[in-house]
Amino acid sequence: MPRGVDVARLAGVSQKTVSRVLNNEPYVSTEVRQRVLAAAEQLGYRLNNAARALASGRSRSIGVVTLGTALYGPASLLMGIERAVRATGYALRVVSTVEGDPTGIAGAVESLLEQGVDGIVISEPIDEGAELVRADVPVLVFGTPLPFSAPRVVTAGVGSGELAHAATEHLLDLGHATVRHVAGPQRWYAARERLAAWRAALAARGLGEPPVVEGDWSAASGYAAGRRLAEDGDLTAVFAANDDMAIGVIRALLEAGRRVPDDVSVVGYDDVPVAAYVTPPLTTVRQPFDAVATAGLQLLVHAIEQPHEDLPQAPDHPVELVVRASTAPPPRKTPGRGRATSG
Amino acid sequence: MPRGVDVARLAGVSQKTVSRVLNNEPYVSTEVRQRVLAAAEQLGYRLNNAARALASGRSRSIGVVTLGTALYGPASLLMGIERAVRATGYALRVVSTVEGDPTGIAGAVESLLEQGVDGIVISEPIDEGAELVRADVPVLVFGTPLPFSAPRVVTAGVGSGELAHAATEHLLDLGHATVRHVAGPQRWYAARERLAAWRAALAARGLGEPPVVEGDWSAASGYAAGRRLAEDGDLTAVFAANDDMAIGVIRALLEAGRRVPDDVSVVGYDDVPVAAYVTPPLTTVRQPFDAVATAGLQLLVHAIEQPHEDLPQAPDHPVELVVRASTAPPPRKTPGRGRATSG
DNA sequence: CGTAGATATGACTGCGCAGACATGACTGCG
DNA sequence: CGCAGTCATGTCTGCGCAGTCATATCTACG
């Protein structure tokens, strides 16, 4: 591997000037700049990242803690983060945790700190007990300020709240007497936020709160939840915390003889790409992952590079209720079937 | 930040001994090891990655080139890679490309090389023209040996071939006269492989090859393909290159008045988590992403750490055809509707 | 008891870059 | 014309580790 001095020799300048050129620093004449670039090109020279990081004290990289799942939401957010990180000129390092991992988020953060990242992104905050996560670099959390100890903690919202609210209201506006909720796993911030918004929407209309069924985001758990919901003879509207569970719910309802949306309306969350094509097409909520990631990363980079300035606040992002065929007004005559017992 | 010498001083040893302890080198007495670990713990000491990379010439990190999509296949493989990389003790750096990106895979590889990775993984090879990708570290490609110039190029298969073959055969075994194929974008290796396997399965039975409809992996493109397929009055069986497109195809067929599976059988590919819960539940093919990723990474790490030994071959992985309700024997009396014209 | 090997530790050094500072050439203006 | 300010470049240095080699101690065995 050629080094900076090799380029310098070939271009007839000092190593420092090579460094200047390759870092786009001012005070280099155009002519020298050209010579250096030509020499670097000729030798196939690349700056040595380790040496740069050691000399400058910054690694120019950002670490992200993600969940080891291919779930649409987390995967989309991760891809949004990747693009946003690259746009800021930083490199991306990824560590995943799995639910139930004993070291959890704290362990993942620790491993990123060992790698020397300049900042950390927690993409899907989940509660792994009461652990306090310590970091010596700025941290960006999507959703909620976990118990973090770090120089700067930045929070960027994904706007789940208001939209889960809107999803519930959409069902109520259609005339449903109430809305049942299939929640996500409550250790996830995203799941808690959606549950709270559903609750708030019911409360705003003075409605009581029917029992919540909790799933694990999977279609299988949605199916199980749907079987339980089907025992409710008065059921006409369901809000599921993500699309996969909504699809499972719909399948269970169909198998129980409930038509969707004729008998029961179902709303999902995420707008997965197949949502428009399943039967029936799913009413759902679309999240602007890219915009959220971009905005969050701008805050994080600001926190990294201007450690003493105040942080601007993250803007809210337009979220969108996508109404499709899985929601309709409730049936005229409620079927009034008796409540079946499980077994 | 405390440095190695600080720990050394506290433990009453030399910096070099601290280095030995933290790298688990032999020839350190148990007693000294304890003292050093205690001192490191007390100071909250962490090895400086940049300095170790500079001094040792290895960054202990592996870069992966992925596609900036949340598609189930690529996302699952990425997560499998993350786990596999972590299991080998390396750190993971991620760069994504988008289709149509002018710099393409070569640009992504270049940016990883600048970051100083010890090895590179190309998770979803796509053809970005005839570019020759150059790397000075070993490269692992999932699927196909692209035109690569690197010290070692390792290939690990995802076994798409035989299974796309099996999927087609499953339909033929049910009695269908032929099988139409909704292909993925042909720049993707995975799409070409599935197309070739479908072709081979037809040829093996001496069947002619009906025209292929190409999609872009999305349910929307599957829907468009399904509308075109619905013009074929003799259509009874479809093999789609992924589940999302299969779901789109099913929707289009339903809207065209074809029942699935009564009139037309549809097979997908990937076994996305909702496949079992859509209507009808989807017959599909499950890929062992984790196993493939683990095996591939073992090869890559071998190529990195034993540059002069021969590479063991990657084992084949069990792939699995999952038969669900979307496939059935063809209808007794073919409907024989005339071929409609589009427009 | 003497010497070869294994074991345990330290001193010194350099990896390749960017920061601090020095220096020289040039510009403009009173 | 002289001096301050800008521009352009170079010299020297150290970031914090791991590699190399030297050294000291401990075993084993003839």
Side-chain angles (χ1 to χ4, degrees), chain A residues 120-137:
Chain A
I120 289 179
V121 180
I122 311 291
S123 80
E124 290 284 346
I126 60 178
D127 260 343
E128 289 286 1
E131 60 181 349
L132 175 71
V133 177
R134 292 174 182 288
D136 45 27
V137 297

Side-chain angles (χ1 to χ4, degrees), chain B residues 12-14 16-17 20 27-29 32 54-55:
Chain B
V13 297
S14 73
K16 178 67 217 191
T17 295
R20 284 196 183 95
Y27 302 143
V28 180
S29 69
V32 166
L54 182 58

Side-chain angles (χ1 to χ4, degrees), chain A residues 6 97 128 151 330:
Chain A
D6 302 325
T97 57
E128 289 286 1

Side-chain angles (χ1 to χ4, degrees), chain A residues 57-137:
Chain A
R58 308 188 334 143
S59 68
R60 295 168 177 76
S61 73
I62 286 175
V64 55
V65 178
T66 183
L67 286 157
T69 83
L71 287 173
Y72 181 76
S76 298
L77 186 54
L78 180 59
M79 288 304 150
I81 291 170
E82 192 281 336
R83 278 189 283 275
V85 166
R86 200 146 34 94
T88 64
Y90 282 75
L92 180 67
R93 308 192 188 218
V94 175
V95 172
S96 78
T97 57
V98 287
E99 285 188 89
D101 181 345
T103 59
I105 290 181
V109 166
E110 184 59 26
S111 103
L112 288 173
L113 292 174
E114 274 168 21
Q115 292 179 43
V117 297
D118 295 338
I120 289 179
V121 180
I122 311 291
S123 80
E124 290 284 346
I126 60 178
D127 260 343
E128 289 286 1
E131 60 181 349
L132 175 71
V133 177
R134 292 174 182 288
D136 45 27
V137 297

Side-chain angles (χ1 to χ4, degrees), chain A:
Chain A
M1 287 274 89
R3 303 166 339 235
V5 281
D6 302 325
V7 176
R9 234 177 329 252
L10 182 57
V13 297
S14 72
Q15 174 267 321
K16 178 69 216 191
T17 295
V18 172
S19 166
R20 284 196 183 95
V21 170
L22 274 62
N23 287 293
N24 272 315
E25 287 175 28
Y27 303 142
V28 180
S29 71
T30 317
E31 190 253 330
V32 165
R33 194 175 290 273
Q34 302 301 337
R35 275 216 320 273
V36 168
L37 290 175
E41 168 86 3
Q42 181 181 333
L43 296 177
Y45 173 71
R46 253 180 242 118
L47 280 170
N48 178 318
N49 221 358
R52 276 180 107 160
L54 182 57
S56 69
R58 308 188 334 143
S59 68
R60 295 168 177 76
S61 73
I62 286 175
V64 55
V65 178
T66 183
L67 286 157
T69 83
L71 287 173
Y72 181 76
S76 298
L77 186 54
L78 180 59
M79 288 304 150
I81 291 170
E82 192 281 336
R83 278 189 283 275
V85 166
R86 200 146 34 94
T88 64
Y90 282 75
L92 180 67
R93 308 192 188 218
V94 175
V95 172
S96 78
T97 57
V98 287
E99 285 188 89
D101 181 345
T103 59
I105 290 181
V109 166
E110 184 59 26
S111 103
L112 288 173
L113 292 174
E114 274 168 21
Q115 292 179 43
V117 297
D118 295 338
I120 289 179
V121 180
I122 311 291
S123 80
E124 290 284 346
I126 60 178
D127 260 343
E128 289 286 1
E131 60 181 349
L132 175 71
V133 177
R134 292 174 182 288
D136 45 27
V137 297
V139 171
L140 165 66
V141 185
F142 282 107
T144 184
L146 285 180
F148 260 98
S149 159
R152 322 284 302 264
V153 179
V154 189
T155 306
V158 283
S160 290
E162 65 229 66
L163 258 284
H165 199 276
T168 308
E169 282 196 314
H170 165 65
L171 291 167
L172 295 174
D173 287 345
L174 284 170
H176 294 274
T178 190
V179 176
R180 301 287 302 265
H181 182 46
V182 178
Q186 289 298 299
R187 298 193 317 166
W188 291 53
Y189 169 74
R192 291 199 300 280
E193 189 183 42
R194 290 169 206 180
L195 172 65
W198 164 78
R199 224 164 231 165
L202 290 180
R205 306 228 179 167
L207 297 172
E209 184 181 309
V212 172
V213 185
E214 184 173 325
D216 65 5
W217 298 128
S218 74
S221 75
Y223 178 78
R227 289 177 66 115
R228 288 182 50 193
L229 291 176
E231 296 166 9
D232 174 356
D234 299 326
L235 178 75
T236 69
V238 179
F239 166 48
N242 78 346
D243 287 347
D244 283 13
M245 293 198 296
I247 288 168
V249 166
I250 289 172
R251 168 122 223 106
L253 293 176
L254 287 181
E255 290 183 2
R258 308 291 186 88
R259 290 163 303 163
V260 176
D262 312 69
D263 299 326
V264 182
S265 290
V266 177
V267 176
Y269 204 100
D270 275 348
D271 196 23
V272 299
V274 298
Y277 298 93
V278 294
T279 304
L282 198 59
T283 294
T284 183
V285 171
R286 182 180 300 154
Q287 299 187 73
F289 292 110
D290 268 21
V292 168
T294 302
L297 266 139
Q298 277 169 1
L299 291 184
L300 182 61
V301 168
H302 184 96
I304 292 170
E305 297 181 352
Q306 272 86 38
H308 304 298
E309 281 180 31
D310 278 349
L311 285 173
Q313 259 316 297
D316 270 354
H317 295 285
V319 271
E320 196 180 339
L321 179 68
V322 183
V323 178
R324 299 206 183 92
S326 70
T327 48
R332 296 285 166 76
K333 318 159 183 171
T334 48
R337 321 190 196 173
R339 172 168 315 197
T341 50
S342 70

